[in-house]
Amino acid sequence: MSELPFAATTPVSVARVGLRARDAENLAAYYRNVVGLQELSRAGGTITLGAANRPLLDIEADAVAKPDDPRSAGLFHTAFLLPSRADLGRWINHAIANKIGIEGASDHLVSEALYLTDPEGNGIEIYADRRREDWKWNGDKIAMATERLNISSVVAEVPAGDAGWQGAPDNSIIGHVHLRVGRPEDAEAWWHQEFGFDTVAKYGSAAVFLSSGGYHHHIGANAWQSAGAGRRDPSRSGLAWVEMRSDNVADATAREDPWGTVIRTVPGKA
């Protein structure tokens, strides 16, 4: 049994993500077959998927929703964190065997990641963290980069004779959520005020990365495609809400960020 990743053990972490889907059945099948999530329940037009018994993704059916607009505020990607590098190697083998389209593969120094897009345009990251003791900090800022992923090295972590990918393993979580915003500095101020997050990295004025408890980032916010975006159109598909888990609250709450994205908070330990 793997341990719960560090990302989930900080005072605040990402619990799950809600997506509004034009074709919920098709989208749920994608997350089962490609990402390896299990269907946990169905209720009121919502399909809940997760790993083991941990809910990670709610897909809410809305057949009349307009397609998401990548230039608007919303979801850049949901990042599914696997417990080990070998798990990432198993997923890569699964992607190769099933001819799953990959749009990027990066070494971020703190993590190793692959990127893809679901059938309704929602970004996905599948990643594994490097050991915390190998992360490099410059004061309160973490060293992250985007370098080419050594795929063969990751795959080599899978033991000979291994059973291979069996779906998202126990203790898979959503490690972080990366948002499209109109102004990263406004997102930074909001996450500071509402969640007490620390700014751990910036990519110029176009992206900011924030975290709780010394993680490399629980929230990313960029304006690479969405500079100047206003409030999100609630009639579009895509991101419906993000749910954070917090040690610091006693009751569930919901609030909106400056672009109208609903951020829920639930109490409890990981």
Side-chain angles (χ1 to χ4, degrees):
M1 171 68 76
S2 61
E3 294 182 357
L4 197 64
F6 170 60
T9 68
T10 54
V12 183
S13 63
V14 182
R16 57 179 165 170
V17 166
L19 297 178
R20 184 175 297 107
R22 289 154 54 86
D23 186 341
E25 291 293 344
N26 184 55
L27 206 60
Y30 181 89
Y31 281 91
R32 288 195 304 266
N33 298 331
V34 173
V35 181
L37 301 184
Q38 303 162 351
E39 183 171 320
L40 301 181
S41 64
R42 293 183 176 225
T46 296
I47 303 170
T48 298
L49 306 167
N53 291 315
R54 182 186 301 271
L56 300 177
L57 186 69
D58 280 12
I59 298 176
E60 302 174 355
D62 187 351
V64 300
K66 296 182 289 189
D68 191 25
D69 178 0
R71 298 165 299 178
S72 70
L75 181 68
F76 190 67
H77 61 237
T78 303
F80 295 93
L81 175 57
L82 302 180
S84 74
R85 196 169 191 244
D87 290 321
L88 187 61
R90 293 182 184 98
W91 186 85
I92 291 171
N93 286 334
H94 158 70
I96 293 169
N98 292 280
K99 298 181 171 58
I100 294 166
I102 302 298
E103 296 171 1
S106 299
D107 182 337
H108 294 302
L109 306 183
V110 294
S111 63
E112 295 171 294
L114 296 102
Y115 297 91
L116 51 161
T117 302
D118 78 18
E120 298 202 3
N122 302 295
I124 297 170
E125 177 179 342
I126 309 287
Y127 78 114
D129 277 333
R130 283 206 165 89
R131 299 185 311 163
R132 277 169 59 203
E133 51 265 38
D134 294 332
W135 300 352
K136 301 292 192 294
W137 291 85
N138 180 16
D140 61 355
K141 299 297 185 286
I142 197 160
M144 294 195 295
T146 300
E147 299 177 352
R148 184 175 180 178
L149 179 63
N150 187 338
I151 289 177
S152 60
S153 174
V154 179
V155 169
E157 293 283 329
V158 181
D162 187 82
W165 181 252
Q166 303 293 313
D170 291 355
N171 290 335
S172 298
I173 63 168
I174 296 177
H176 67 268
V177 175
H178 198 145
L179 301 170
R180 307 186 310 248
V181 301
R183 279 171 42 96
E185 53 266 51
D186 293 343
E188 180 181 22
W190 191 85
W191 286 93
H192 283 183
Q193 176 179 333
E194 298 295 330
F195 285 90
F197 273 17
D198 301 311
T199 299
V200 291
K202 290 186 178 182
Y203 288 179
S205 61
V208 63
F209 300 87
L210 306 120
S211 79
S212 169
Y215 189 52
H216 58 69
H217 68 293
H218 289 101
I219 294 292
N222 78 67
W224 293 325
Q225 299 170 284
S226 55
R231 287 180 66 84
R232 181 168 171 76
D233 180 352
S235 68
R236 290 192 181 275
S237 65
L239 185 62
W241 43 265
V242 176
E243 185 177 275
M244 309 298 292
R245 179 211 55 81
S246 175
D247 293 347
N248 307 320
V249 299
D251 300 300
T253 61
R255 67 202 95 172
E256 293 184 353
D257 76 2
W259 299 276
T261 297
V262 174
I263 310 295
R264 299 178 178 177
T265 309
V266 294
K269 301 291 185 181

